[in-house]
């Protein structure tokens, strides 16, 4: 009888604890959704706290990315915030892309929709990240290259496939197809130039020719770029809330001569001529099969 009494008290205590636990969890979820709504409303109404509010909003969202907890709340919140307020988080957001064989989750659909909006409205600030991810699996890869894709981590392949899907959607949308195609053209040319081998070529490494101006091979695509409607990658291009991007320093062409920065890998230093008449010095390299362009603005003429 005593044991039965203890068991009843324990059962009653357990039920009380369970009810309190459910209440606490419900309150937490309720306040989380309220926080998401309030942050998005603040971002919609004001530009005073863009960095803090955007960072906090994405932090709360990504912390629950693997669950369906936020669902419609995060969808409504993301839709009401201008895409330019997420641009500075393009690297972090694109890193969450995935295109696994399973059906995409609600959060993954929202993320891909947001990145598509960012790339279509602000292509010169967001599209480069998507391109660099999708270039892990080139569209023209051979069957042998495709068979070796298994060497990459599954998450990398998923990200590359999802990024490739976003890029294809951008190229098919009439409103942003030209901009997306121009950015892709520039990235393809820079990637080709970055991967072009000069390390073991005497024409580029002969010490007796160091004082001579080296020339980019004429058959490379970067030599054929002319009056491209893409801002110079190392020039300052502010975000345009109007989405027009009419007042930019456009790429006129790339000068035929280049230099090397020395060292073991011989990174290439090229010069891009902008529509403002300034030559922009750019360091082009290809670490681990990918390419990068130095983001510092170092014009040869004048000061910035």
């Amino acid at each position: 009888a005593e044991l039965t009494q203890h068991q009843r008290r324990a059962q009653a205590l357990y039920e009380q604890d369970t009810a309190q636990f459910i209440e606490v969890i419900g309150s937490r979820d309720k306040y989380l959704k309220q926080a998401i709504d309030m942050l998005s409303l603040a971002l919609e109404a004001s530009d005073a706290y863009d960095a803090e509010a955007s960072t906090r909003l994405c932090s709360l969202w990504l912390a629950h990315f693997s669950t369906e907890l936020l669902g419609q709340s995060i969808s409504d919140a993301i839709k009401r915030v201008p895409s330019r307020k997420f641009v500075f988080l393009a690297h972090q957001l694109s890193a969450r892309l995935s295109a696994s064989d399973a059906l995409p989750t609600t959060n993954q659909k929202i993320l891909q929709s947001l990145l598509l909006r960012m790339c279509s409205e602000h292509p010169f600030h967001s599209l480069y990240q998507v391109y660099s991810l999708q270039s892990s699996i080139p569209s023209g890869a051979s069957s042998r290259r495709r068979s070796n894709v298994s060497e990459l981590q599954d998450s990398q392949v998923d990200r590359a496939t999802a990024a490739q899907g976003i890029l294809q959607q951008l190229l098919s949308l009439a409103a942003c197809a030209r901009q997306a195609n121009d950015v892709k053209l520039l990235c393809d040319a820079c990637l080709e130039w970055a991967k072009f081998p000069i390390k073991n070529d005497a024409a580029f490494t002969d010490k007796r020719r160091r004082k001579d101006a080296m020339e980019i091979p004429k058959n490379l695509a970067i030599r054929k770029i002319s009056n491209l409607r893409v801002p110079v990658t190392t020039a300052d291009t502010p975000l345009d809330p109007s989405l027009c991007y009419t007042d930019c320093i456009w790429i006129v062409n790339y000068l035929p001569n280049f230099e090397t920065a020395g060292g073991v890998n011989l990174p290439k230093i090229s010069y891009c001529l902008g529509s403002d008449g300034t030559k922009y010095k750019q360091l082009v390299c290809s670490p681990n099969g990918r390419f990068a362009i130095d983001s510092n603005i170092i014009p040869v003429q004048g000061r910035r």
Side-chain angles (χ1 to χ4, degrees), residues 172-203:
S172 64
L173 294 174
C176 58
R178 179 180 176 183
Q179 291 178 328
N181 186 69
D182 287 348
V183 172
K184 183 178 182 300
L185 178 65
L186 173 65
C187 290
D188 288 341
C190 290
L191 181 59
E192 180 189 35
W193 174 222
K195 290 184 174 182
F196 185 82
I198 64 171
K199 186 176 180 180
N200 299 318
D201 193 332

Side-chain angles (χ1 to χ4, degrees), residues 3-262:
L3 289 174
T4 301
Q5 187 177 6
H6 279 297
Q7 184 179 16
R8 288 175 180 173
R9 285 201 296 265
Q11 181 66 29
L13 185 61
Y14 171 75
E15 291 175 355
Q16 292 175 7
D17 289 346
T18 301
Q20 291 180 1
F21 176 75
I22 293 174
E23 183 180 356
V24 168
I25 294 299
S27 298
R28 183 202 64 181
D29 295 346
K30 171 186 170 184
Y31 295 139
L32 173 62
K33 293 178 180 179
Q34 286 182 353
I36 293 290
D37 289 340
M38 296 304 293
L39 286 167
S40 65
L41 289 170
L43 287 167
E44 180 186 26
S46 171
D47 297 334
Y49 304 100
D50 284 356
E52 297 88 342
S54 296
T55 302
R56 188 58 182 157
L57 174 61
C58 290
S59 177
L60 292 173
W61 177 27
L62 297 180
H64 299 84
F65 198 78
S66 60
T67 71
E68 298 291 328
L69 174 62
L70 296 176
Q72 192 62 38
S73 296
I74 193 63
S75 177
D76 295 339
I78 294 296
K79 287 179 181 177
R80 69 168 63 102
V81 179
S83 63
R84 60 184 169 84
K85 300 196 176 187
F86 295 108
V87 163
F88 75 102
L89 293 171
H91 286 288
Q92 290 81 356
L93 292 172
S94 58
R96 290 286 186 141
L97 280 174
S98 178
S100 59
D101 294 335
L103 291 176
T105 62
T106 301
N107 285 316
Q108 187 61 224
K109 291 179 181 178
I110 297 171
L111 175 62
Q112 293 189 22
S113 177
L114 172 60
L115 284 170
L116 182 64
R117 182 157 61 101
M118 290 166 56
C119 291
S120 61
E121 295 177 352
H122 305 282
F124 310 129
H125 298 84
S126 307
L127 190 50
Y128 294 106
Q129 290 85 343
V130 173
Y131 177 90
S132 64
L133 288 176
Q134 68 88 38
S135 63
S136 299
I137 304 181
S139 57
S142 63
S143 58
R144 181 178 179 181
R145 173 69 180 86
R146 294 283 182 179
S147 65
N148 292 334
V149 164
S150 58
E151 297 177 3
L152 298 174
Q153 296 181 3
D154 292 341
S155 60
Q156 291 176 319
V157 176
D158 288 343
R159 279 197 297 271
T161 304
Q164 206 170 52
I166 291 176
L167 184 59
Q168 292 301 320
Q169 289 184 67
L170 291 169
L171 293 172
S172 64
L173 294 174
C176 58
R178 179 180 176 183
Q179 291 178 328
N181 186 69
D182 287 348
V183 172
K184 183 178 182 300
L185 178 65
L186 173 65
C187 290
D188 288 341
C190 290
L191 181 59
E192 180 189 35
W193 174 222
K195 290 184 174 182
F196 185 82
I198 64 171
K199 186 176 180 180
N200 299 318
D201 193 332
F204 301 108
T205 59
D206 191 348
K207 294 182 179 180
R208 294 172 297 179
R209 297 194 55 189
R210 278 187 176 177
K211 295 183 179 180
D212 298 336
M214 292 181 289
E215 185 175 336
I216 301 174
K218 295 181 179 179
N219 63 313
L220 296 186
I222 198 168
R223 288 286 301 271
K224 302 173 185 177
I225 289 178
S226 178
N227 296 320
L228 196 63
R229 292 290 290 181
V230 176
V232 175
T233 53
T234 48
D236 183 22
T237 305
L239 285 166
D240 185 357
S242 69
L243 314 181
C244 296
Y245 287 100
T246 54
D247 188 19
C248 299
I249 302 174
W250 307 109
I251 294 175
V252 175
N253 58 25
Y254 276 83
L255 302 186
N257 296 330
F258 76 99
E259 306 166 4
T260 59

